[in-house]
Every structure is written in structure tokens, then in C-alpha cells.
Amino acid sequence: MALVSTAQIIHLSEADPRISPDELIDGLVPPPQFEDVSFGSYRPDPAQPTQTQARDTLNDFVSSGGGSSRLLGRLFGGGRRSKAKGVYLDGGYGVGKTHLLASTWHASEKPATFGTFVEYTNLIGALGFVRARDELSQMRLVCIDEFELDDPGDTVMMSRLMRELTDAGVKIVATSNTLPGSLGQGRFAAQDFLREIQALSEQFTIVSIDGDDYRSRGLPEPPAPQTTEELDAVLAEATGTVARDRFDVAVEHLSTIHPSRYGRMLDQVDTIVWDEVRTIENEGVALRFVALVDRMYDRDVAVHASGVKLDDVFTDEMIAGGYRKKYLRCLSRLTALAHKARS
């Protein structure tokens, strides 16, 4: 007897979410996967002392109101008072930077905001620079995840925003895979914007975190692709909301939706099923896909897929290029979500 699915089946390729400017501001909070994290729930690798140092530095930073505490002095200045007005968390993917950033937000006095770099740039696009700055200037803390500068316009705009927010007394904590002085390298003529990049780096105390990707422990590669029959069986047994699409159609649809709205596309989605996954050949399409996977990971959405293995979704040239770290983080997150689906 065939199973009758109780799941609600939708298609991401038909989604067209809308978000008002006020919703953009109200939505700047940690995503569901990080809504209950804390410094206490962070599990540093005993073999990597910088992870413990980063946790303690951020804990001290937020509990002391963001001032240059004795701990910051010991770690980064031999007791001298730091002029930095924020903390910049630098490290590879999978070392817990977002966990620590969300923990900082939870421990901070409110109002405070938490969002990815693209969410802040979209806020500026939706509200205009002046209103966005004025709204963020009311915050005690602004947390920026996945800080990256992919074009000169973003460099100048974010440099100005950081300066004006810190001048207003706002504390800033940011995470990135790239040190401030190296932002933009391999993507645009960063040497033409050294003044803006240098001004940006001067806003932060840099805290580096070493370590391996925790998501890869015991999960070195994605599971094998599934057959169409296996995907049909997933739908038959699923509960909640399942988004099923042909992969190329879903990915092409992303070009019609601003990345800041990808999270809204995934509201209430528990599982994604992709038919006929293919290698993405266009870098613009690939970067939009990275942004989608980031929002999927935030929401802990399980992934089932047929076609090529998920670690073949990007070309070798992309993996070796200027966005290497973004693609590797994406593959790490995809692998974790695919194994979640099989568990």
C-alpha cells in the first residue's frame, strides 16, 4: 500500500517574497539555528587555544560594555589601551565564528542587530544610507556576519558606515574569512581602495581563530546522489514543508530575487529536494547559490538531491579563484545539511 504524504509541497522556483523596510530592521536578529546559543554552549577545540581566547575576548568585550578591558590589553597590546571600537573575528569556515557572534548578540544589552553583510548592504539600498545609518546608530551593538567586500562601491560605503557608527558610540563585532587588510583581494582592484580598507581595519581589534572545520569531523564528503525513485520516497514519507524543484530551474530563479530575500523564501521550509543537480558554470549564478545555502544552513534545512555529487556543484576554476573560501564554506554547509537529511 502506497504511503500518502502529509507534507506540504512547494517550489522555490515560484517563490517571490516581499519584505518591507521595517521588516528588514526587525529581522536583523540571529537566525533559528543560533537563537539559543551562548558563550557557555560554545565548545572550543582543546588543541586550538585561540578558540578559547576568542570566546573569552568577546565575552569580556560585551560584558564590559565594549571597552578596552584588561583582557584585550593582555592579548593585543601588552596592557596599552586599544583605540579599536569593535572586534573583528578572523578565521576559516567551520571554527564557530557565527556561534560566537550570535552569543555576543544574546549577551549584549539591547537594542542590537545581527545580520549578514549582504543584509546590511540591502538595508542601505532599501532605506538609503542616511536612514539606515540613523537606525543603526540607535543600537548598542551591531553584529555583522560574513563580512566581505566584493566590489569598490561596497568598500567605500561600508567603510563610511563603520566610521559613522563607531563615531556615534555603536560597538561593532564582525566575522570574516579574510583579514581587513586583505578584503577584496582577488575580486577587484583592492590597491585602488587601500585608504578605505585601512580606515575600516582601524576600527577593529583583530581576533584570529585557528582550527579545522568542525562540520567535517566524521563527514568528509557529501553522501552519494539519490535516484528519482528515492526522492519520490522522501516526499511520500515527509512531514512539514518540502520544497522540490529541478535544480537548474531553482538556481536560475535566484537571479530574480535579491539575496536579502532568500531567507524569506525558506520560511517554514523543513526539507529541500533537488532533482538533477548539475555543476554551475557561471560565477554570478554560483555566488547567488552560495547565498541561498547560507540561509538554508541558518535554518537547518535538510537537503536531498539527485544528479552530480554536491561537492561537484562548482567548477575547479571557481574553487581555485578569488571566491575560494566562500565556495569551500558552502560545500561544507551543504555536506552537513545532506548528512542531516540521511540521519
Side-chain angles (χ1 to χ4, degrees):
M1 180 177 177
L3 292 173
V4 178
S5 175
T6 61
Q8 177 186 7
I9 311 301
I10 66 169
H11 305 287
L12 292 184
S13 56
E14 297 175 357
D16 186 22
R18 299 295 173 180
I19 306 176
S20 71
D22 287 340
E23 287 179 303
L24 287 174
I25 298 170
D26 293 341
L28 290 174
V29 297
Q33 187 169 0
F34 299 99
E35 63 185 2
D36 296 318
V37 300
S38 66
F39 292 123
S41 65
Y42 180 69
R43 296 291 179 261
D45 184 345
Q48 302 292 345
T50 55
Q51 294 185 12
T52 299
Q53 291 172 354
R55 180 198 62 194
D56 293 346
T57 297
L58 287 172
N59 193 8
D60 188 77
F61 179 79
V62 70
S63 63
S64 64
S68 299
S69 68
R70 290 190 298 274
L71 176 60
L72 284 171
R74 289 199 304 272
L75 288 175
F76 305 105
R80 291 179 287 107
R81 183 173 179 84
S82 170
K83 294 181 180 180
K85 301 172 183 178
V87 175
Y88 187 101
L89 210 56
D90 170 69
Y93 55 90
V95 296
K97 298 188 304 296
T98 303
H99 184 131
L100 288 173
L101 186 68
S103 299
T104 304
W105 185 91
H106 287 300
S108 173
E109 293 184 55
K110 305 299 184 290
T113 60
F114 180 106
T116 61
F117 181 82
V118 71
E119 287 174 313
Y120 285 105
T121 56
N122 183 66
L123 183 71
I124 294 172
L127 304 184
F129 182 89
V130 172
R131 184 182 169 191
R133 178 205 61 200
D134 290 347
E135 293 283 352
L136 294 175
S137 294
Q138 300 175 40
M139 303 298 151
R140 292 181 178 271
L141 176 73
V142 168
C143 295
I144 307 172
D145 202 17
E146 302 162 16
F147 198 103
E148 187 55 273
L149 302 180
D150 293 338
D151 63 63
D154 282 348
T155 303
V156 175
M157 179 175 65
M158 292 304 292
S159 176
R160 176 186 172 190
L161 180 65
M162 296 300 100
R163 288 197 305 268
E164 296 193 15
L165 289 181
T166 54
D167 287 346
V170 179
K171 303 304 176 184
I172 300 173
V173 179
T175 74
S176 180
N177 297 323
T178 307
L179 289 169
S182 301
L183 288 166
Q185 288 185 0
R187 300 163 179 80
F188 64 88
Q191 65 272 17
D192 295 337
F193 298 88
L194 287 178
R195 179 179 299 176
E196 284 79 8
I197 292 173
Q198 181 62 29
L200 214 126
S201 66
E202 289 174 353
Q203 306 297 319
F204 298 102
T205 292
I206 299 171
V207 180
S208 295
I209 306 181
D210 302 314
D212 300 320
D213 178 10
Y214 77 92
R215 288 181 293 267
S216 67
R217 298 170 193 168
L219 304 174
E221 59 182 35
Q226 294 164 277
T227 65
T228 299
E229 292 73 21
E230 288 172 329
L231 296 184
D232 291 340
V234 167
L235 261 66
E237 299 174 2
T239 59
T241 300
V242 179
R244 185 172 189 176
D245 294 89
R246 204 175 79 193
F247 181 77
D248 58 345
V249 175
V251 171
E252 181 63 29
H253 182 65
L254 296 178
S255 65
T256 68
I257 307 292
H258 191 278
S260 66
R261 292 191 277 148
Y262 290 176
R264 181 59 61 88
M265 288 175 64
L266 298 165
D267 279 354
Q268 312 306 318
V269 173
D270 302 294
T271 303
I272 280 179
V273 175
W274 284 321
D275 289 278
E276 302 176 31
V277 172
R278 301 177 183 178
T279 300
I280 299 172
E281 304 287 344
N282 178 276
E283 187 138 72
V285 175
L287 290 172
R288 288 193 291 271
F289 179 69
V290 168
L292 176 69
V293 172
D294 284 340
R295 304 291 74 77
M296 289 164 53
Y297 184 74
D298 287 344
R299 289 155 177 79
D300 203 23
V301 177
V303 174
H304 293 271
S306 66
V308 304
K309 284 188 66 175
L310 291 176
D311 54 2
D312 289 328
V313 73
F314 303 121
T315 66
D316 292 341
E317 290 76 15
M318 290 176 187
I319 297 296
Y323 296 102
R324 172 181 172 81
K325 291 181 179 179
K326 284 191 174 185
Y327 293 135
L328 291 178
R329 184 190 71 222
C330 178
L331 294 178
S332 168
R333 291 180 166 184
L334 266 180
T335 297
L337 296 176
H339 278 285
K340 166 187 167 63
R342 304 292 183 93
S343 62

